[in-house]
Amino acid sequence: MSKFKFSVGPWNVHAGADSYGPATRQEIDFDTKLAKFAELGFSAIQFHDDDAVPNINAYTEEEIKEKAAALKKKLDKYNLAAEFVAPRLWMDDHTIDGGFMSTSEKDREYAMWRAYRSIDIAKELGCDMIVLWLAREGTLCAESKSPVWATKQLIAAINKMLEYDPKIRVCIEPKPNEPIDRSICGTIGHVMAVSAATIDPSRVGGNLESAHAILAGLDPAHEIGFALAMGKLMTVHLNDQNGIRYDQDKTFGVENLRAAFNQVKVLKENGYGDHGEYVGLDVKAMRTTRDEDSYKHLENSLSIFKYLEEKADKFDYEFQKKCVANRDFEALEMYVMKLLMGVE
Ligand code: XUL
Ligand code: MN
């Protein structure tokens, strides 16, 4: 029995289209996904604002709240919580050059409108967190905007969100690049610095995604550990990634089992989840996956996480202590390898 609770977003089951080719599977409707997520054992759903309220631009603030309240009833039916709402600031015509740090003042105002609506939706769904994945916040042309100005815009935008709602928590999901060339706030360390510069650092933290850390050339478990040490790991997006290339969102653990083990271990050792935090799985199926296997990557990620949790439960801390005292890291490393290979 896992000690953790798991969460997932509707985008984690998708039809397989990529930048180079069309969909390879049927779209699955939202209600069918919800039922299946509940059946697979997920406890909470993560939302973009327009996952919760599709076609959000067409509605008034009151209508948006009403639609979110109707969604809450649907979630209740499946006994699912909402974990967070994330303004999707990368699809709309107003966000071509970014959101909070767009060079257009009108577009920056639009981005704030989406952030405020995300907060309204979160409240209706009974959650207190919004996630900012800063997809287009940065530059495609380095000279197009100052990184100093852009960083200050981000801090000012977060301050406005904190002022808009005294209870809301703002969780930044850092990523060093893609779709932007050079991002602002690319790692969990940047997130901690931005948090410290806001009017209420206790309400600003991070969402560490394994693949994003790897894209920055960093180790996900160490990034998780850094945020935990600061008391600011609000959620995680676990997945895997084959080195520094396009963002892959692979099934958790399939590329680097030892790195995955250490992510589970650091979460477990430090009481992650004790304050209601979820283990989010931000994984995507391969394009080649057939319709009948549309949820396999989620099932596999859950299984791999739970198997690794069992390995972490078994971890022999006495032996580790002895190895450290003798400075025998060869023995410690081999012990971990044997533990993972099941040949202890
Ligand atoms: C993008 C990414 C997104 C966010 C949600 O790389 O990870 O799925 O997690 O907007
Ligand atoms: Mn993510």
Side-chain angles (χ1 to χ4, degrees), residues 11 48 90 133 173 175 209 212 237 247 282:
W11 65 89
H48 295 116
W90 52 95
W133 169 47
E173 178 178 339
K175 184 175 180 183
E209 173 159 327
H212 296 178
H237 267 178
D247 187 9
D282 196 3

Side-chain angles (χ1 to χ4, degrees), residues 27-46:
E27 286 291 347
I28 297 175
D29 69 77
F30 178 71
D31 289 42
T32 310
K33 287 183 189 177
L34 278 193
K36 186 71 181 175
F37 290 155
E39 185 194 317
L40 292 176
F42 286 97
S43 306
I45 306 298
Q46 311 178 332

Side-chain angles (χ1 to χ4, degrees), residues 11-12 46-48 51 84 86-88 90 131-133 135 173-175 177-179 207 209 211-212 215 237 239 247 249 282 284:
W11 65 89
N12 294 120
Q46 311 178 332
F47 291 97
H48 295 116
D51 293 323
F84 66 66
R88 199 197 301 265
W90 52 95
V131 162
L132 305 179
W133 169 47
E173 178 178 339
K175 184 175 180 183
N177 60 281
E178 201 202 26
N207 172 10
E209 173 159 327
H212 296 178
L215 284 171
H237 267 178
N239 54 19
D247 187 9
D249 295 336
D282 196 3
K284 294 226 169 73

